Amino acid sequence: MNISKKKIARTSGALLATSALAGTTAFLTTRFLVKTALNRESPKIMEKAGNLISGSLVDEEILRQQKEAADRLAAVETESVEIKGYDGVKLAGHWYPCEAPQRIIIAMHGWRSSWCNDFGLVSDFLHENHCGVLFAEQRGQNNSGGDYMGFGVTERYDCLEWARWAAENISSDLPIYLCGVSMGATTVLMAAGLNLPKNVHGIMADCGFTSPDEIWRHIANNNLHLAYHLRRAVARSIYERKNEACKFDCSTLDALRTSRTPVMLIHGTEDHFVPVEMTYQNYIACIAPKRLLIVPGADHGMSYLIDRNGYEACVKSFWKDFD
């Protein structure tokens, strides 16, 4: 009897130790991954792990075209603009005017990216179609201030400030379109739920996710093969502390269920970073006039490159209807 009790005690102790170790490991890996997601400076060890997180396949030809386009846009003469965000953080932007402007585009780039990288491919199309473009630099990245990224939740207020700046300093009459790619798309969709200037006529969102919570769930479970349910509480706590209690589960779906601003949603079917199902969810939730472009075979942010004609036709139709 005593031997059995000792065996049970040893077994129980081993199980408790294993459980404690698993819990500690989950906490440490979660803290590291949240740091990778939010902090301005990514841990050095993650610099070569971008494709692991995104799940995207490396296509050297696509990367070459993207880099060449980014370099061309970076070389264009633009006016540097600086404003303050809702919380006083410095926000940097680049105003690219055009002759005989018909509309203003406010372009928000994605996570750990840049305005040149995300809009280099489409910038000529925008310029040739009489769009003055304000390329914003997202907080916590590049030349804008801020120590952390908010995955669209904090950035939506920055987008609102840029829209106000454009209405006050460029034109109060020209239609304004909020345009974003990836996290930038989530930013502009979340901004739909705010009190936007009256001349914001539409929102164009390419491969946006629905919330920090849901995109982290997808990446943890599907790309990193980590059990998200073991890590969610820790991730949420760190996120809300660093972003001053902004809600981790704040969702584009809530914004789109109340907004009357027309929306154009774009997504590629082979997106491994942000699943196309999230754009379908956004489309269903949206009660405003809406358009949907799904591009077969396009990976994350590659819809314009894969189906340039279809993309341009859809955008022109959107402008025609809502200018």
Side-chain angles (χ1 to χ4, degrees):
M1 187 68 175
N2 290 335
I3 294 175
S4 297
K5 288 181 178 179
K6 288 180 180 180
K7 287 183 177 180
I8 292 171
R10 284 198 298 269
T11 301
S12 298
L15 289 173
L16 288 172
T18 301
S19 178
L21 178 61
T24 300
T25 302
F27 173 79
L28 293 175
T29 57
T30 302
R31 188 171 64 176
F32 176 76
L33 291 171
V34 172
K35 182 178 180 180
T36 299
L38 298 182
N39 288 19
R40 173 182 285 275
E41 299 297 331
S42 176
K44 294 295 183 183
I45 195 174
M46 295 303 292
E47 288 182 359
K48 296 182 180 180
N51 292 325
L52 178 64
I53 293 173
S54 70
S56 299
L57 300 176
V58 176
D59 187 313
E60 296 298 334
E61 176 59 21
I62 286 179
L63 292 177
R64 182 190 65 78
Q65 292 184 49
Q66 191 173 45
K67 184 180 185 306
E68 289 179 354
D71 290 343
R72 287 195 300 271
L73 180 56
V76 167
E77 184 176 350
T78 60
E79 176 189 345
S80 294
V81 181
E82 184 178 307
I83 66 172
K84 287 186 177 180
Y86 69 97
D87 55 356
V89 166
K90 181 196 82 170
L91 302 174
H94 308 267
W95 169 242
Y96 185 22
C98 68
E99 294 186 8
Q102 295 179 9
R103 64 194 66 85
I104 298 167
I105 306 293
I106 296 177
M108 311 296 287
H109 68 77
W111 179 74
R112 298 207 180 281
S113 189
S114 70
W115 62 285
C116 295
N117 189 66
D118 283 357
F119 295 102
L121 289 166
V122 76
S123 62
D124 287 344
F125 165 71
L126 297 175
H127 194 69
E128 291 164 3
N129 282 274
H130 305 283
C131 300
V133 185
L134 188 283
F135 296 104
E137 298 200 35
Q138 297 263 43
R139 66 170 50 222
Q141 302 187 63
N142 306 308
N143 295 308
S144 283
D147 296 324
Y148 308 114
M149 290 171 273
F151 276 64
V153 181
T154 51
E155 291 86 352
R156 60 180 165 165
Y157 298 112
D158 299 335
C159 187
L160 173 61
E161 292 303 321
W162 281 120
R164 288 172 173 167
W165 178 87
E168 294 171 4
N169 294 275
I170 304 299
S171 173
S172 60
D173 298 320
L174 284 175
I176 294 174
Y177 290 87
L178 309 181
C179 176
V181 175
S182 191
M183 190 184 82
T186 299
T187 297
V188 298
L189 290 173
M190 287 191 175
L194 305 178
N195 186 23
L196 297 169
K198 61 180 177 60
N199 55 325
V200 173
H201 285 203
I203 293 172
M204 300 155 57
D206 187 340
C207 59
F209 51 84
T210 52
S211 72
D213 189 12
E214 289 305 317
I215 191 60
W216 290 15
R217 183 190 309 278
H218 168 75
I219 291 170
N221 288 341
N222 296 283
N223 294 357
L224 300 178
H225 305 292
L226 298 171
Y228 184 67
H229 72 277
L230 296 176
R231 295 167 169 82
R232 182 178 184 273
V234 174
R236 177 174 188 157
S237 175
I238 298 173
Y239 173 91
E240 294 185 351
R241 174 171 53 81
K242 289 188 173 185
N243 285 294
E244 299 181 350
C246 284
K247 295 301 183 181
F248 185 53
D249 56 359
C250 181
S251 176
T252 56
L253 304 179
D254 295 331
L256 293 172
R257 289 184 183 117
T258 61
S259 174
R260 298 291 178 179
T261 305
V263 173
M264 177 179 172
L265 296 161
I266 305 160
H267 217 123
T269 61
E270 298 305 310
D271 192 332
H272 298 88
F273 197 5
V274 179
V276 67
E277 288 77 14
M278 290 191 178
T279 280
Y280 288 129
Q281 291 173 31
N282 281 324
Y283 184 80
I284 292 169
C286 182
I287 65 169
K290 53 193 176 183
R291 302 287 186 275
L292 178 65
L293 175 65
I294 301 298
V295 180
D299 203 336
H300 190 64
M302 291 294 109
S303 291
Y304 183 73
L305 189 60
I306 298 300
D307 185 12
R308 183 168 304 197
N309 291 336
Y311 195 114
E312 292 182 355
C314 193
V315 170
K316 287 181 178 179
S317 175
F318 189 65
W319 290 339
K320 181 181 178 181
D321 288 344
F322 300 110
D323 273 357

